[in-house]
Amino acid sequence: MPIDPAATAKILAAALEKHRAGDLGGARLLYDDVLAANPLDFDALHLKGALLRRQGDAAAAVASIEKAIAAVPARALDAQLNLANALFDAGRHAESIRHYDNALAATPDDAGAWTRRGDAQQLLGDNAGCVESYKRALALSPNAAATWYNLGLALRKLERPDEALAAVERAIALRPAYGDALKLAGNALTTLGRMREAGERLAAALALKPDDAEIESGLAHALHMQGRHTQARAHYDRAIALRPGFTEAYFNRAVLSLETLDMAAGLADFENAIASDPDHAMAHRAASAVLLATGDFKRGWEEYEWRWRGPQPDERNRDFGAPRWSGDFDLAGKRILLHAEQGFGDTIQFVRYVPMVAALGARIVLEVQPALKPLFAGMAHVETLLGWREAIPPVDCHCPIMSLPHAFGTTLETIPAPKSYLAAEPARVAAWRAYLGDKAGLRVGFACSGSTTHKNDANRSIPIDAFLGVASGAERFFCLQKDFRTADRAWIANRPDIAVLNDKLHHFADTAALIAALDLVLCVDTSVAHLAGALGKPVWVLVPFNADWRWLQKRSNSPWYPSMRLFRQKRSGDWREALADVAEALRTGAAP
């Protein structure tokens, strides 16, 4: 039977009182009483929807509130916030934002609505949008620690670590025992390279959340970057114990093992990472470096091919409109594009395979870095020589130059290593010999540092004053590098006895001719080492403790270059013993 308006109002008032007091069951019975008499009563439908949301039935809550709005469209604005909240809880985040906007148009000072709007945007991946919503909320309610945390989370996802750190530190100031905020602060500090502070924040987070594998792993990484290897390993171990199959922890523990040259442990953890994530391209490529460094070329070259399956710069992974050759089909009569993909030294090292490709009956188009074109001009077996970005003629197939060892199944025993496979232009060599003048003392070309953009440059480069401290006094030194660090430039400016020739070295053909006119090349692991080795010039290379895979392990010679001698660091970061060995070799006349 219909209930008169006065009675309805009393029942709704009683229902609302129970609702607010937490007696949801009692309130629901009274809402249902009203709806039994008047199924389209706006207030009963609307308030019952809010109650259903509190009971965890978001879908039913949405249906009830939408029915209320449909029944009395003129009162739709009254229900916007509750409908937005119900839609949010139902996982309908895009729709919830529209209704939060409607509610905020009427009540723009509702901090909670701005916060929930930001939460919905963040769940939809709109990090820029949620940042603005959270900032509006915090302007109205600046002591909301959770909102500061969520703002920091969004800013971190936007790769704005300084701002993320500032926001999350506000959250921590408001709630010091906020484990998630301490964790986020530690991660932001890690991104900023502030490893000591990162470790402190993550240690505090771990005390509050002792079973959080991600915090364990993050703390391990912070300690690792500080060189505290024993402590780092303990935390990596704990992270993996908490979460077996934790790919990132396996990967980083492998890197830690390699820093102490524990190659077996490093390889095992890269394989653990691959087992937990078979498509982890970085783990496959890192495993390839270990396999190649330890002489397992068969598996190493196979894993090295994973470099094409991870994120790559556009210029390296290109579509040539032709199949890729991996040694899997006949090349007789076919035109193949061999294309450089990485650094100058890599191209110089692997161009040795050109005669082998030609021997299969292929016509070769060789594409290299522009600076290398003059060096390879006139190279035997090359039909067309191109620089990057030059138009490529029609080809039948292609092969990245560093995939040639894989295509040929190269093993440690079958490395193609002629005494030399490149030659400097005779006229250029003669010009350099004339420029250098009468021979007086051992002529030594040197390169003590490489490109600052190289990922391992800090480990491979040596300050020039330490590097040239090997001199016995019987040598003349000629600089083979184009650029200097600021400190090195200042030092060499006061050494007129050292020939700086970078204004005469326009490309690698010039450098090759100068090397041919010298007696010895002394350098760190740069393209100069590969160029001297390819020319068959005696070359001494100083390699870091955790050396690049191509220098293998514990060797003083290179199977790639017969004329090369390696001087290895005995301890990570300490060049003194290696430089002392070079100085002794110069002093005792071991140089040619």
Side-chain angles (χ1 to χ4, degrees), residues 171-250:
I172 295 167
L174 291 163
R175 193 194 305 174
Y178 196 163
D180 286 336
L182 288 163
K183 175 182 175 180
L184 179 57
N187 291 337
L189 286 161
T190 296
T191 301
L192 293 167
R194 295 159 61 179
M195 295 301 176
R196 182 187 59 78
E197 297 166 87
E200 291 170 354
R201 282 305 197 198
L202 290 166
L206 191 61
L208 296 166
K209 299 168 71 70
D211 295 328
D212 189 316
E214 289 184 355
I215 297 175
E216 284 280 11
S217 180
L219 177 56
H221 180 67
L223 293 166
H224 182 173
M225 293 299 100
Q226 295 175 65
R228 297 162 66 180
H229 290 174
T230 302
Q231 295 165 280
R233 183 172 294 280
H235 286 286
Y236 283 134
D237 292 348
R238 170 73 173 152
I240 292 166
L242 287 168
R243 188 195 294 178
F246 192 168
T247 306
E248 182 182 2
Y250 280 131

Side-chain angles (χ1 to χ4, degrees), residues 252-561:
N252 288 333
R253 190 172 70 176
V255 174
L256 178 67
S257 295
L258 297 188
E259 289 179 5
T260 57
L261 295 191
D262 189 345
M263 309 301 279
L267 180 59
D269 268 340
F270 286 135
E271 290 174 339
N272 286 332
I274 292 166
S276 62
D277 180 3
D279 293 326
H280 196 299
M282 286 182 64
H284 281 283
R285 184 167 178 181
S288 79
V290 179
L291 291 164
L292 293 169
T294 53
D296 188 347
F297 279 17
K298 183 179 187 303
R299 287 198 298 158
W301 298 128
E302 290 172 359
E303 290 290 89
Y304 194 56
E305 291 302 296
W306 273 83
R307 70 195 185 280
W308 301 113
R309 297 177 64 175
Q312 300 290 343
D314 291 343
E315 67 269 18
R316 285 181 51 192
N317 200 3
R318 294 175 290 165
D319 180 9
F320 297 100
R324 184 165 146 192
W325 181 70
S326 298
D328 49 344
F329 55 83
D330 186 11
L331 289 182
K334 290 185 171 62
R335 178 184 282 169
I336 184 171
L337 170 67
L338 304 181
H339 49 99
E341 53 175 284
Q342 297 185 36
F344 296 125
D346 302 297
T347 304
I348 293 169
Q349 181 177 3
F350 292 103
V351 78
R352 70 181 67 216
Y353 282 88
V354 165
M356 295 173 65
V357 177
L360 298 177
R363 300 159 58 199
I364 296 171
V365 177
L366 179 62
E367 183 199 51
V368 299
Q369 299 92 325
L372 289 174
K373 272 190 72 178
L375 176 66
F376 297 145
M379 186 175 180
H381 313 295
V382 175
E383 179 183 273
T384 305
L385 178 63
L386 304 171
W388 279 347
R389 304 284 185 261
E390 293 184 36
I392 297 170
V395 295
D396 299 300
C397 55
H398 75 97
C399 183
I401 200 165
M402 296 186 71
S403 289
L404 288 169
H406 177 245
F408 281 100
T410 300
T411 66
L412 194 57
E413 295 73 28
T414 63
I415 291 174
K419 182 178 179 181
S420 66
Y421 56 89
L422 293 180
E425 186 181 340
R428 292 181 192 272
V429 178
W432 273 115
R433 285 182 174 143
Y435 176 84
L436 297 177
D438 294 336
K439 182 171 172 53
L442 188 73
R443 292 171 170 172
V444 181
F446 75 92
C448 63
S449 59
S451 169
T452 56
T453 61
H454 191 282
K455 64 182 180 180
N456 198 42
D457 189 61
N459 292 323
R460 66 171 182 167
S461 292
I462 304 174
I464 194 169
D465 56 341
F467 188 88
L468 292 183
V470 302
S472 69
E475 306 87 14
R476 294 172 60 198
F477 286 95
F478 301 87
C479 184
L480 297 173
Q481 64 190 67
K482 290 282 290 179
D483 301 307
F484 292 99
R485 309 304 193 267
T486 301
D488 288 353
R489 188 179 299 110
W491 185 89
I492 206 167
N494 295 315
R495 292 293 302 269
D497 56 314
I498 297 170
V500 178
L501 305 168
N502 51 4
D503 61 333
K504 301 182 184 303
L505 299 174
H506 304 294
H507 42 63
F508 278 88
D510 288 331
T511 307
L514 174 55
I515 288 172
L518 299 173
D519 301 309
L520 171 70
V521 170
L522 175 63
C523 62
V524 295
D525 179 7
T526 72
S527 56
V528 168
H530 294 280
L531 180 56
L535 293 166
K537 178 65 61 175
V539 52
W540 294 358
V541 185
L542 289 117
V543 295
F545 182 72
N546 186 16
D548 187 81
W549 58 263
R550 72 200 71 215
W551 308 128
L552 298 160
Q553 296 288 304
K554 301 178 181 178
R555 295 181 66 134
S556 60
N557 65 347
S558 168
W560 295 97
Y561 299 109

Side-chain angles (χ1 to χ4, degrees), residues 114-130:
W114 282 112
T115 298
R116 295 282 282 182
R117 182 181 189 270
D119 294 343
Q121 290 170 301
Q122 189 167 72
L123 287 167
L124 289 168
D126 181 9
N127 292 303
C130 76

